[in-house]
């Protein structure tokens, strides 16, 4: 038999029904009608399991594998690969072509095809699309669809065999196929290293092994280029660098590639020149950039220079006009601004671009409100949306990197606020607004600027129209952006624009020991009363193995006092380990939302999602207007047989808005009972539970703990080892990021003065 090699066991059969089919990774459990087998098996049907593309009842397949005994479900056939069998007789081919698989082909048309081309019609069509022109009265569009469908079916068989020969198992093979479809073989032959960037679960070493099979090994130029791009991308994304210094970069590439063949550094440098010529990286003196980062840094510097030089477009007012307007606003808001706050408001209104920085409780939000109110009063622009015509832009724009930060701005000012991505019209792969299509408005205030990376900052600034005044607000002591760059730090270091640094704590009078602790941490001091219980802060000593139990106990106490899961946020520095985000989430899910017969659930990868779960959005989704850091609740789960689309669905409610997720989009969702400190940036929570233990040592830095502490609004409940807190607070070392934004700004501005 042509389908079977020596000693290869198989079952030939057709689909009776699916028991389970995961559309995301194609894992399948199905019942098969047995037609033929060389296994010692006499039953009429069998349960098969494995990673398989969709099967159809009308088709016959060969399943290759072996029987296994499942502890719960009994005897099953574990399939390592499968192959569709084409019909061999004229009647079989007619029945196959007239099935539901091929749109527009009825029995009459199928018979005409077979009468013209014979019983080998299928292979003839696949090998030569034009042969269908011989079939009388066959429409061109129907012929084209038939050819494409047959090619797709045949292509999957070939692809799976090819990937198997390359050493990929069925699970990974299906994942690769889902990314590249019919282009899989061509893509892998052309550039196996692309798998590293496109397919989850394939690292450089695995792609390098595949490259060797394809003859790309040792000092092959394509291997050196792939290694260089891998190192550049990895270090930029993992460490936040905008560029890498060329000499250490080359050494790192050499370390990656050296094996049986020693790669000379001169060879790496030579290939980098070719990559530069192909615009796949940028060589700039002794530095190497990803092109997108090079042009983002250069573009941002140019945009800021343009903004700083537009001072003549800023409306002027006298000291008396300012004082009169300020007094009016103080009466309206029933507030009295301190001298430093007045100066900050006046500076913002007098400048095309201003930086406002300060820690918690220093009055940043109060100043933002004052800037908006004074701008409105001095320029005669009402703050009510209804005062403007439908096609007239609202002059006041408030934005922040995350949805929760934008919501806080809106609550503080009673004005609309949005994420920066939404402001710029993010469409999933491109932005609606840029230098050719700027946003409309007169005053822009951006909060939480420490979170803004170089890419987003460049897109924002090049989208600003002439004459717009900009106020950037942030806390320089917080963590830098997750993605490359350190925009706020670089702008402060450049010292080219009016800057107000707030240091006086105005919320101290409210008796917030959390704010007091935050400012001590900022100075690198763990206060002597750190372990003492206060009205809003407590510390519970415990070891790494005890963290989960202590966190659970704290959560239960909070619930007993009337707080809900939505008031409580656990923050942890690391994902892995006994005291990591992932393990804490599993335990808190069981605590807050345990398994129940009336609650629906299903497993995605290693996570169980259940109705009622608190979940976190991990990426920006422009279509559904949910963004990285948004927290919602699973309000419903529907199984494939219940939906029109015939696929599993999770419905998550974000602030009253429902968003539907399928298995293809669930990678953007995770449990949110505990989240990383990085993910908490831009958010505030009534209760923060913060475990810090010595096993987190790699992450223990002052700005990390400071960021976590400043997320708490009412209560801060810390647990772990005091020595770990002390080490983190004293460790002022931040991960150094390579950036030339400060220098480029200074050179541009100084050259024009």
């Amino acid at each position: 038999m042509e389908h079977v090699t020596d000693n290869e066991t198989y079952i030939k059969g057709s689909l009776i029904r699916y028991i389970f089919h995961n559309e995301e990774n194609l894992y399948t459990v199905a019942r098969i009608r047995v037609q033929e087998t060389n296994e010692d098996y006499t039953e009429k049907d069998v349960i098969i399991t494995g990673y398989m593309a969709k099967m159809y009842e009308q088709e016959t397949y060969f399943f290759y594998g072996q029987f296994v005994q499942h502890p719960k479900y009994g005897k099953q056939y574990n399939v390592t690969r499968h192959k569709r069998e084409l019909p061999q007789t004229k009647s079989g081919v007619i029945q196959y072509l007239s099935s539901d698989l091929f749109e527009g082909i009825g029995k009459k048309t199928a018979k005409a095809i077979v009468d013209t081309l014979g019983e080998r019609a299928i292979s003839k069509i696949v090998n030569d699309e034009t042969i269908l022109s011989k079939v009388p009265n066959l429409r061109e569009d129907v012929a084209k669809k038939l050819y494409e469908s047959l090619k797709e079916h045949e292509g999957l068989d070939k692809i799976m065999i090819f990937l198997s020969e390359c050493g990929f198992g069925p699970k990974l093979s299906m994942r690769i196929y889902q990314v590249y479809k019919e282009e899989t073989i061509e893509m892998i032959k052309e550039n196996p290293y692309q798998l590293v960037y496109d397919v989850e679960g394939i690292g450089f070493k695995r792609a390098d092994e595949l490259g060797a099979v394809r003859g790309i090994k040792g000092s092959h130029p394509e291997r050196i280029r792939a290694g260089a791009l891998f190192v550049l991308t990895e270090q930029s994304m993992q460490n936040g660098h905008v560029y890498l210094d060329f000499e250490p970069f080359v050494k790192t590439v050499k370390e990656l590639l050296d094996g049986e063949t020693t790669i000379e550094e001169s060879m790496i440098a030579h290939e980098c020149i070719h990559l530069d010529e192909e615009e796949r990286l940028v060589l700039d003196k002794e530095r190497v950039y990803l092109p997108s980062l090079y042009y983002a840094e250069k573009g941002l510097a140019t945009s800021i220079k343009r903004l700083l030089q537009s001072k003549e477009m800023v409306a002027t007012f006298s000291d008396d006009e300012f004082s009169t307007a300020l007094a009016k606003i103080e009466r309206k808001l029933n507030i009295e601004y301190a001298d430093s706050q007045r100066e900050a408001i006046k500076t913002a209104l007098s400048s095309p671009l201003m930086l406002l920085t300060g820690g918690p409780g220093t009055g940043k939000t109060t100043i933002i409100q004052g800037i908006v109110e004074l701008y409105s009063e001095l320029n005669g622009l009402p703050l009510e949306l209804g005062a403007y015509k439908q096609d007239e832009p609202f002059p006041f724009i408030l934005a922040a990197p995350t949805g929760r930060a934008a919501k806080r701005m809106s609550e503080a000012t009673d004005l609309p606020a949005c994420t920066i991505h939404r402001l710029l019209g993010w469409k999933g792969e491109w932005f609606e607004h840029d230098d050719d299509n700027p946003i409309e408005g007169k005053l822009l205030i951006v909060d939480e600027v420490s979170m803004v990376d170089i890419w987003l900052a460049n897109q924002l600034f090049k989208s600003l129209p002439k004459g717009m005044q900009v106020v950037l607000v942030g806390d320089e002591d917080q963590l830098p952006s997750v993605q490359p760059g350190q925009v706020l730090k670089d702008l402060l270091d450049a010292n080219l624009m009016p800057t107000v640094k707030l240091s006086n704590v105005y919320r101290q009078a409210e008796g917030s020991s959390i704010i007091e602790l935050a400012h001590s941490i900022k100075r690198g001091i763990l206060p002597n009363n750190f372990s003492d219980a206060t009205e809003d802060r407590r510390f519970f000593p415990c070891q790494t193995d005890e963290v989960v139990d202590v966190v659970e106990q704290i959560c239960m106490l909070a619930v007993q006092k009337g707080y809900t899961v939505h008031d409580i946020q656990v923050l942890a520095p690391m994902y892995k380990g006994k005291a990591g985000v992932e393990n804490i989430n599993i335990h808190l899910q069981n605590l807050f939302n345990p398994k129940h017969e009336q609650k629906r659930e299903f497993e995605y990868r290693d996570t169980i999602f259940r109705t009622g779960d608190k979940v976190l959005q991990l990426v920006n989704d422009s279509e559904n207007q949910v963004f990285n850091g948004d927290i919602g609740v699973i309000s419903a789960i529907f199984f494939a047989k219940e939906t029109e689309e015939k696929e599993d669905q999770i419905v998550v409610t974000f602030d009253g808005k429902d968003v539907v997720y399928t298995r293809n989009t669930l990678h953007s969702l995770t449990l949110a009972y505990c989240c990383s400190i990085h993910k908490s940036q831009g958010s505030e929570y009534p209760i923060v539970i913060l475990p810090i233990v010595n096993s987190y040592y790699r992450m223990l830095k002052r700005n990390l703990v400071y960021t976590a502490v400043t997320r708490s609004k009412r209560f801060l409940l810390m647990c772990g080892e005091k020595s770990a807190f002390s080490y983190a607070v004293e460790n002022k070392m931040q991960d150094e990021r390579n950036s030339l934004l400060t220098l480029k700004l200074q050179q541009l501005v100084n050259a024009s003065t």
Side-chain angles (χ1 to χ4, degrees), residues 339-353:
D339 290 342
S340 60
Q341 292 176 317
R342 293 184 182 196
E343 192 58 35
I345 295 170
K346 188 174 183 180
T347 302
L349 297 177
S350 308
S351 311
L353 175 62

Side-chain angles (χ1 to χ4, degrees), residues 307-319 321-323 342-355 371 374-375 378-379 442-443 467-471 497-500:
L307 198 65
L308 289 172
Q309 292 179 338
S310 63
K311 187 170 177 61
E312 71 281 355
M313 301 184 72
V314 176
T316 57
F317 47 83
S318 67
D319 290 345
E321 287 174 316
F322 175 77
S323 297
R342 293 184 182 196
E343 192 58 35
I345 295 170
K346 188 174 183 180
T347 302
L349 297 177
S350 308
S351 311
L353 175 62
M354 186 192 86
L355 285 171
I371 291 169
L374 263 291
Y375 191 95
L378 289 168
N379 292 280
K442 294 186 178 296
L443 175 67
M468 176 174 277
Q469 288 179 250
V470 180
V471 179
M497 59 202 71
T499 301
V500 176

Side-chain angles (χ1 to χ4, degrees), residues 576-588:
K576 302 296 182 182
K578 293 180 180 178
V581 170
E582 294 172 358
N583 190 42
I584 294 174
N585 259 325
I586 292 170
H587 285 81
L588 292 187

Side-chain angles (χ1 to χ4, degrees), residues 12 78 149 214 255-257 385 426 536 550 699 736:
K12 177 183 174 183
N78 185 23
S149 296
R214 312 308 307 168
E255 289 172 7
L256 175 73
L257 298 177
L385 283 167
W426 174 239
D536 59 358
V550 171
M699 301 291 291
E736 293 295 325

Side-chain angles (χ1 to χ4, degrees), residues 603-617:
E603 187 172 352
Y604 173 81
R605 296 179 181 170
D606 296 324
T607 301
I608 293 173
F609 288 106
R610 190 175 292 144
T611 49
D613 272 336
K614 178 180 175 182
V615 289
L616 175 77
Q617 177 74 13

Side-chain angles (χ1 to χ4, degrees), residues 11-16 31-35 44-46:
I11 291 177
K12 177 183 174 183
S14 57
L15 176 69
I16 298 175
R31 185 174 293 278
I32 299 297
R33 182 177 290 105
V34 178
Q35 298 175 4
K44 293 182 179 180
D45 55 58
V46 65

Side-chain angles (χ1 to χ4, degrees), residues 538 540 549-570 588 591-592 614 686-689 714-717:
R538 291 201 175 184
F540 301 87
D549 289 338
V550 171
V551 167
E552 285 182 320
Q553 291 174 34
I554 296 171
C555 288
M556 285 188 288
L557 286 171
V559 170
Q560 289 169 11
K561 292 185 177 181
Y563 293 97
T564 71
V565 64
H566 306 295
D567 299 318
I568 304 165
Q569 187 59 57
V570 183
L588 292 187
L591 175 69
F592 284 114
K614 178 180 175 182
I687 300 175
V688 165
I689 300 174
R714 295 184 209 159
F715 298 100
L716 173 64
L717 306 170

